[in-house]
């Protein structure tokens, strides 16, 4: 039988008080009375409180095509207290964000098809960062985790969602697509299920997982296989990313096109065996297609169109052989003319892509293993406060030589 000292016996007689809630634990003989205070809503332990030392700012555009940086939400106080977090959400301190061509379009043109900038709007959807606050309902992420942000929010009810093709969700809210604000901020609240752990991967590579996902989705749907002859139209960020993927998949031969010789030089640098074709002004679509086909030995079965330019899509159609496929990854103008009879008489399949689904785990594995190395594609880096200069550099790529411009928030 154990002995209980008088000191311990005295302590046992005292009602226990929680350190954080100050709530007495009553004995069964004591009457309960409603406390006069409100219970504390504790979203994070004091040791894991968010380290938000600067006010939140974001990169905005508007229908007048202005571009500027100003304060944004959630506020620094909301970040520190966690009071703005909803069930299932986390707060991310965004560390690196890439500028996408769609960001340039929303700024300079105010729209992409039916997606129109109607109010002040925050841009950016290629981001990675650190988890700094977690709602109690979230169990798969912790403060300090490094994550890449998949910028989606879906209904989980419609047919595309239920069949795994959630990029076609009928109620999709995609960050940076109006009216949904984007990720070009210091702090963002987002659903934990769309935050993918990246381990010790750099935040730059984490941000580049989004454009890599676009290329991987195209590769998957176009069914590129080992030894397939492939044409890639456009040597911009998506075209070059697609080149890396095709090379890793063992496509051979690979031909890539562009109007800019400097970008073709980069293509040759990252994939020495690629054959390059510079598109010259005044060359017909038929002649351009024939020249591309000749570079591949006349055997092109698949063209991956990454520019979205009407003339490039047409040239791709003329490049592939009977029974071939033209897969359009790029985004272009709402209405286009295409060589219908060429498609019809040659039984060429014309397919299209809208964003991606279920690609992020694969993208992370490819980068972490070193199968895909995207570092050469990053040409410029700017601080968040200098975002306007970053956008001007990206938009003026013909003069600046920009491929992928990243905005950083150390």
């Amino acid at each position: 039988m154990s002995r209980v000292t008088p000191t311990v016996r005295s302590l046992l007689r005292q009602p226990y008080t929680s350190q954080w809630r100050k709530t007495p634990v009553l004995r069964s003989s004591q009457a309960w009375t409603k406390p006069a205070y409100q219970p504390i809503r504790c979203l994070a332990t004091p040791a894991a409180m968010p380290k938000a030392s600067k006010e939140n700012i974001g990169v905005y555009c508007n229908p007048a095509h202005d571009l500027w940086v100003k304060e944004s939400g959630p506020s620094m106080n909301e970040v520190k207290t966690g009071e703005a977090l909803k069930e299932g959400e986390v707060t991310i301190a965004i560390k690196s964000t890439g500028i996408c061509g769609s960001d340039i379009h929303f700024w300079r043109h105010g729209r992409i098809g039916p997606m129109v900038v109607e109010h002040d709007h925050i841009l950016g959807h290629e981001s990675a960062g650190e988890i700094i606050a977690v709602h109690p309902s979230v169990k798969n992420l912790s403060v300090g985790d490094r994550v890449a942000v998949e910028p989606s929010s879906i209904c989980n009810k419609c047919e595309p969602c239920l069949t795994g093709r959630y990029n076609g969700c009928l109620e999709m809210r995609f960050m940076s697509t109006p009216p949904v604000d984007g990720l070009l901020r210091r702090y963002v609240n987002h659903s934990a299920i769309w935050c993918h752990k990246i381990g010790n991967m750099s935040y730059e590579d984490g941000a580049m997982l989004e454009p890599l996902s676009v290329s991987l989705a195209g590769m998957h749907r176009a069914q590129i296989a080992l030894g397939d002859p492939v044409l890639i139209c456009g040597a911009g960020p998506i075209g070059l990313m697609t080149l890396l993927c095709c090379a890793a998949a063992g496509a051979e031969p690979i031909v890539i096109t562009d109007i800019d010789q400097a970008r073709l030089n980069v293509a040759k640098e990252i994939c020495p065996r690629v054959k390059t074709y510079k598109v010259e002004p005044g060359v017909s679509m038929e002649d351009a297609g024939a020249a591309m086909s000749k570079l591949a030995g006349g055997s092109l079965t698949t063209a991956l169109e990454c520019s979205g330019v009407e003339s490039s899509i047409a040239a791709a159609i003329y490049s592939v052989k009977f029974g071939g496929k033209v897969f359009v990854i790029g985004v272009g103008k709402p209405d286009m003319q295409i060589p219908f009879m060429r498609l019809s008489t040659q039984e060429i399949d014309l397919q299209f892509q809208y964003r991606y689904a279920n690609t992020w785990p694969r993208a992370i594995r490819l980068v972490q293993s070193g199968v895909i190395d995207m570092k050469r594609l990053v040409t410029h880096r700017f601080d968040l406060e200098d975002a306007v200069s970053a956008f001007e550099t990206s938009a003026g790529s013909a003069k600046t030589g920009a491929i992928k411009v990243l905005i950083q928030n150390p």
Side-chain angles (χ1 to χ4, degrees), residues 282-350:
V283 178
S284 70
M285 297 174 290
E286 296 90 338
D287 289 345
M292 297 168 192
S293 176
K294 185 178 180 180
L295 269 178
S299 62
L300 280 173
T301 56
T302 305
L304 300 173
E305 209 299 312
C306 300
S307 73
V309 176
E310 181 179 308
S311 59
S312 181
I313 295 172
I317 291 170
Y318 281 108
S319 74
V320 297
K321 65 183 184 180
F322 184 90
K325 177 187 296 183
V326 175
F327 191 91
V328 183
I329 299 175
V331 178
K333 60 185 183 180
D335 299 298
M336 296 185 186
Q337 290 186 334
I338 59 172
F340 173 82
M341 286 307 298
R342 168 71 181 180
L343 290 167
S344 177
T345 60
Q346 298 300 301
E347 291 191 359
I348 296 169
D349 293 336
L350 181 61

Side-chain angles (χ1 to χ4, degrees), residues 149-210:
V149 184
E150 185 170 353
S152 304
S153 179
I154 63 175
C155 71
N156 279 311
K157 299 176 182 177
C158 65
E159 182 178 343
C161 285
L162 296 177
T163 55
R165 300 182 66 183
Y166 59 82
N167 54 316
C169 174
L170 302 180
E171 298 179 23
M172 169 67 78
R173 290 177 58 81
F174 192 87
M175 302 185 82
S176 83
T177 296
V180 184
D181 282 333
L183 293 168
L184 264 172
R185 290 177 265 178
R186 279 206 180 100
Y187 317 113
V188 175
N189 293 341
H190 194 48
S191 295
I193 60 172
W194 300 114
C195 295
H196 303 273
K197 293 181 183 180
I198 60 174
N200 62 359
M201 182 189 300
S202 72
Y203 289 123
E204 287 195 358
D205 277 347
M208 296 280 279
L209 292 174
E210 200 279 343

Side-chain angles (χ1 to χ4, degrees), residues 47-356:
M49 288 302 289
K51 300 174 182 178
S53 59
K54 297 181 180 179
E55 289 292 342
N56 199 3
I57 56 175
V59 182
Y60 291 78
C61 69
N62 63 14
H65 314 300
D66 299 316
L67 186 72
W68 72 101
V69 178
K70 73 169 185 178
E71 287 188 6
S72 177
S75 69
M76 185 167 67
N77 183 64
E78 289 174 327
V79 171
K80 286 184 173 181
T81 62
E83 62 187 38
L85 276 176
K86 299 176 183 177
E87 184 175 353
E89 287 188 339
V90 295
T91 300
I92 310 130
I94 300 296
K95 299 297 185 180
S96 185
T97 301
I99 297 178
C100 176
S102 64
D103 295 318
I104 303 296
H105 273 281
F106 285 132
W107 163 38
R108 288 196 157 180
H109 306 290
R111 68 183 303 156
I112 297 176
M115 298 165 281
V116 182
V117 176
E118 297 180 340
H119 310 283
D120 290 358
H121 177 64
I122 301 175
L123 298 165
H125 59 268
E126 304 176 1
S127 298
E130 179 187 359
I131 301 295
I132 59 172
V134 177
H135 189 277
S137 60
V138 175
K139 306 302 180 184
N140 64 317
L141 291 173
S142 303
V143 170
D145 284 343
R146 300 160 64 90
V147 297
V149 184
E150 185 170 353
S152 304
S153 179
I154 63 175
C155 71
N156 279 311
K157 299 176 182 177
C158 65
E159 182 178 343
C161 285
L162 296 177
T163 55
R165 300 182 66 183
Y166 59 82
N167 54 316
C169 174
L170 302 180
E171 298 179 23
M172 169 67 78
R173 290 177 58 81
F174 192 87
M175 302 185 82
S176 83
T177 296
V180 184
D181 282 333
L183 293 168
L184 264 172
R185 290 177 265 178
R186 279 206 180 100
Y187 317 113
V188 175
N189 293 341
H190 194 48
S191 295
I193 60 172
W194 300 114
C195 295
H196 303 273
K197 293 181 183 180
I198 60 174
N200 62 359
M201 182 189 300
S202 72
Y203 289 123
E204 287 195 358
D205 277 347
M208 296 280 279
L209 292 174
E210 200 279 343
L212 176 57
S213 284
V214 173
S215 295
L216 288 177
M219 293 279 293
H220 177 71
R221 292 197 59 226
Q223 298 180 320
I224 303 299
L226 190 70
D228 280 354
V230 174
L231 169 70
I232 301 170
C233 297
I238 296 298
L240 292 172
M241 195 77 78
T242 302
L243 172 60
L244 290 172
C245 292
C246 286
E252 176 62 28
I254 308 173
V255 178
I256 191 167
T257 73
D258 205 273
I259 60 174
D260 185 346
Q261 184 60 49
R263 290 196 167 189
L264 293 176
N265 293 341
V266 174
K268 198 74 174 175
E269 183 181 337
I270 63 175
C271 180
R273 64 185 173 89
V274 71
K275 302 176 187 298
T276 62
Y277 177 81
K278 186 173 185 293
V279 180
E280 300 289 354
V283 178
S284 70
M285 297 174 290
E286 296 90 338
D287 289 345
M292 297 168 192
S293 176
K294 185 178 180 180
L295 269 178
S299 62
L300 280 173
T301 56
T302 305
L304 300 173
E305 209 299 312
C306 300
S307 73
V309 176
E310 181 179 308
S311 59
S312 181
I313 295 172
I317 291 170
Y318 281 108
S319 74
V320 297
K321 65 183 184 180
F322 184 90
K325 177 187 296 183
V326 175
F327 191 91
V328 183
I329 299 175
V331 178
K333 60 185 183 180
D335 299 298
M336 296 185 186
Q337 290 186 334
I338 59 172
F340 173 82
M341 286 307 298
R342 168 71 181 180
L343 290 167
S344 177
T345 60
Q346 298 300 301
E347 291 191 359
I348 296 169
D349 293 336
L350 181 61
Q351 289 183 267
F352 298 86
Q353 173 180 335
Y354 189 54
R355 296 177 181 147
Y356 41 71

